[in-house]
Amino acid sequence: MQFLHLALSLLTASTTVFAIEPLTIKGRKFFQNDTQFYVKGVAYQPQVDAEVTSTVIDPLADANNKNCSNDAKLIRSLGGNSIRVYSVNASLDHDYCMEAFKNESIYVFLDVANPSTGIDRANPTWTLTQYDSYKQVIDVFSKYNNTAGFFAGNEVVNNATNAASAAYVRSVVRDLKSYIKSKNYRSIPVGYAGADIPVIRNELAAYLTCNATNTPQDNATEADFLGYNNYEWCGDSNFYASGYAARTNELQNITVPIFFSEFGCNIIHPRIFTEVQAIYSKNMTDVWSGGIVYEFSEEVNGYGLVNITSTGERVKSVDFDNLKKQWATVNPEKVSKHSYQPLGNAPECPARNETSWAVTFEAFPVTPNASLCDDAVKNLRCSVNGDPEGAKIGQVFGELCFYDQEACADITSDPYNGRYGKFSGCTGKQQLSLALDAYTKHHGDDACSWGVYIAKLLLDNISPPRNKTVPPFIDV
Ligand SMILES: *[C@@H]1O[C@H](CO)[C@@H](O)[C@H](O)[C@H]1NC(C)=O
Ligand SMILES: *[C@@H]1O[C@H](CO)[C@@H](O)[C@H](O)[C@H]1NC(C)=O
Ligand SMILES: *[C@@H]1O[C@H](CO)[C@@H](O)[C@H](O)[C@H]1NC(C)=O
Ligand SMILES: *[C@@H]1O[C@H](CO)[C@@H](O)[C@H](O)[C@H]1NC(C)=O
Ligand SMILES: *[C@@H]1O[C@H](CO)[C@@H](O)[C@H](O)[C@H]1NC(C)=O
Ligand SMILES: *[C@@H]1O[C@H](CO)[C@@H](O)[C@H](O)[C@H]1NC(C)=O
Ligand SMILES: *[C@@H]1O[C@H](CO)[C@@H](O)[C@H](O)[C@H]1NC(C)=O
Ligand SMILES: *[C@@H]1O[C@H](CO)[C@@H](O)[C@H](O)[C@H]1NC(C)=O
Ligand SMILES: *[C@@H]1O[C@H](CO)[C@@H](O)[C@H](O)[C@H]1NC(C)=O
Ligand SMILES: *[C@@H]1O[C@H](CO)[C@@H](O)[C@H](O)[C@H]1NC(C)=O
Ligand SMILES: *[C@@H]1O[C@H](CO)[C@@H](O)[C@H](O)[C@H]1NC(C)=O
Ligand SMILES: *[C@@H]1O[C@H](CO)[C@@H](O)[C@H](O)[C@H]1NC(C)=O
């Protein structure tokens, strides 16, 4: 373990303008100019002394402390060429940090969601509220040439039983791609980072990249790349024992770039990172484009390459040096973009199956549409005032839809059968108004006050009664 002392000259930002060539994709490979690019990345989300709050600690908004430029140099010295950032606050200024990473030729893969805007696998939604927050991230980061790609989701789907959430991921991908195009931004790819779940990994990869012929036929809805968070190689494993050989074989027909969006099992300490030899070897480079090591800073889960002290100093761990040695010795074969011939057709879409893949590819969630929703809530007989909290709104739906499923038809969805309510992309508040109004149409005007009554109970943390005594008009 050694202390890192940065010379003063390194702290003074150079004023030289340094260009970085935006990454592009052809077939299943990344390119920088005409040369293939392999990701050698580090997950970067220091959470120094973070308390669990809803505030996003944005690692790319730290202009005052120069941490980004120091860290960019450190990651460059490690041999890295990319970072992955999980969560940013789009309202902050990111110029300083993005420039600092660019100056070290480091690309940024960025998750568009933060903990409060991501897709909930148990109760997936794709709403205006989410779309707007993702758009803000894209508006900010699409201007940087070193933005390598956006992750539309991270580990959303984790079981065949919640495969429905994959339909939502695919819709997010579709809509972010179309948004980027509509704004004439650089064509930054949009992908997904998946958890390594044996029962669904092949279905999920196919589902997100397959050619669903009911959608536009110009790669407009497929994921542009796939990340796998994979911790199978622990200690001094090998290509076969680790599962890497099997994973490579399973993904051989995927037509987009794939890389490890997280790797670096820490069950055995210190980490020696021998998997790096396999990842950048001929055994894997046909299918894989490198990987991102989890993670830059030491946090409670113990994956840090550096320890950040209370004064902000970075203390390298032995893992840092081990990884550096491994990265320095690999030299993967690179194809040139102009001569590279992509694979043929995208894989078949996986068939729906109640137990092994509980969603159909024959329809996808609707694109959230602000004017459709605004028009729909004009002149309702019953609507919601104020600004109720999302979670509470969900509980009110629970009650309302329990009593009157039909009133909820336009705001709810059934991904297994490919039915998505036409207002399912509206904000929670709009949806509640629409459902209350439909309920009122079925049950008379008094029902509106019932809805308001239920909402009030829930907002006051009181469980509403589910029996015949109150209110009288409910037929249960
Ligand atoms: C790649 O493009 C960048 C920016 O346009 C340029 O500065 C650089 O020389 C190019 N590199 C190669 C190897 O062509
Ligand atoms: C984002 O930053 C703004 C401005 O500092 C702050 O008001 C807001 O609470 C932050 N949002 C999150 C989610 O951290
Ligand atoms: C971004 O890259 C493009 C194309 O290589 C180049 O024309 C442009 O000047 C670059 N922009 C910045 C801010 O470096
Ligand atoms: C996946 O679903 C099955 C069947 O419902 C359940 O037994 C299993 O625990 C679930 N696995 C996870 C990781 O949630
Ligand atoms: C998808 O399939 C259709 C019909 O087979 C084909 O015409 C189209 O080129 C395919 N698109 C892609 C992106 O593979
Ligand atoms: C998607 O297709 C368009 C042309 O329709 C192409 O310009 C773009 O590079 C493709 N994107 C990817 C990531 O392959
Ligand atoms: C990949 O495609 C080939 C040729 O169509 C097929 O034989 C093979 O089974 C496929 N492999 C997987 C894992 O899907
Ligand atoms: C590549 O695969 C071969 C067997 O096909 C194996 O012997 C070798 O160790 C593997 N190489 C790496 C670097 O994992
Ligand atoms: C950034 O640097 C300052 C000053 O060195 C330090 O106090 C702070 O903890 C650092 N923040 C992070 C996230 O490392
Ligand atoms: C960070 O410091 C703690 C406490 O001194 C130590 O237990 C841990 O091993 C260190 N981690 C790294 C990555 O050096
Ligand atoms: C659904 O998947 C299970 C497990 O793979 C399989 O046993 C079953 O036959 C499938 N059902 C249908 C209708 O294809
Ligand atoms: C109806 O529910 C309320 C609140 O939970 C409870 O106080 C009341 O006793 C219930 N009435 C009947 C008849 O169950």
Side-chain angles (χ1 to χ4, degrees), residues 20-22 102 145:
I20 191 166
E21 185 67 18
K102 186 200 74 179
N145 274 347

Side-chain angles (χ1 to χ4, degrees), residues 234-273:
C234 301
D236 192 18
S237 189
N238 65 59
F239 185 54
Y240 293 96
S242 64
Y244 278 19
R247 300 296 82 74
T248 303
N249 185 51
E250 287 156 6
L251 296 168
Q252 64 179 272
N253 294 336
I254 300 296
T255 47
V256 303
I258 307 173
F259 58 96
F260 290 126
S261 36
E262 288 174 7
F263 75 91
C265 167
N266 71 351
I267 289 171
I268 298 169
H269 269 296
R271 297 188 287 174
I272 52 175
F273 291 114

Side-chain angles (χ1 to χ4, degrees), residues 54-56 89 91-92 114:
S54 57
T55 308
V56 171
N89 180 340
S91 58
L92 303 176
N114 66 45

Side-chain angles (χ1 to χ4, degrees), residues 163-236:
S165 56
Y168 288 80
V169 172
R170 185 144 172 166
S171 290
V172 177
V173 169
R174 172 197 66 201
D175 292 340
L176 298 188
K177 287 172 72 159
S178 116
Y179 180 68
I180 289 169
K181 202 167 188 177
S182 74
K183 300 286 278 190
N184 282 319
Y185 292 149
R186 176 165 65 83
S187 166
I188 299 175
V190 179
Y192 172 74
D196 187 41
I197 307 286
V199 295
I200 53 151
R201 58 188 159 212
N202 301 328
E203 286 82 359
L204 182 58
Y207 185 85
L208 293 180
T209 61
C210 70
N211 182 351
T213 44
N214 53 320
T215 66
Q217 299 302 307
D218 59 354
N219 81 18
T221 73
E222 300 99 300
D224 293 322
F225 62 88
L226 292 179
Y228 267 80
N229 299 343
N230 180 300
Y231 292 88
E232 285 183 297
W233 184 304
C234 301
D236 192 18

Side-chain angles (χ1 to χ4, degrees), residues 463-470:
S463 299
R466 277 190 171 172
N467 57 31
K468 279 181 194 275
T469 58
V470 272

Side-chain angles (χ1 to χ4, degrees), residues 18-22 32-35 107 145:
F18 178 84
I20 191 166
E21 185 67 18
Q32 194 181 30
N33 297 6
D34 193 42
T35 309
Y107 292 92
N145 274 347

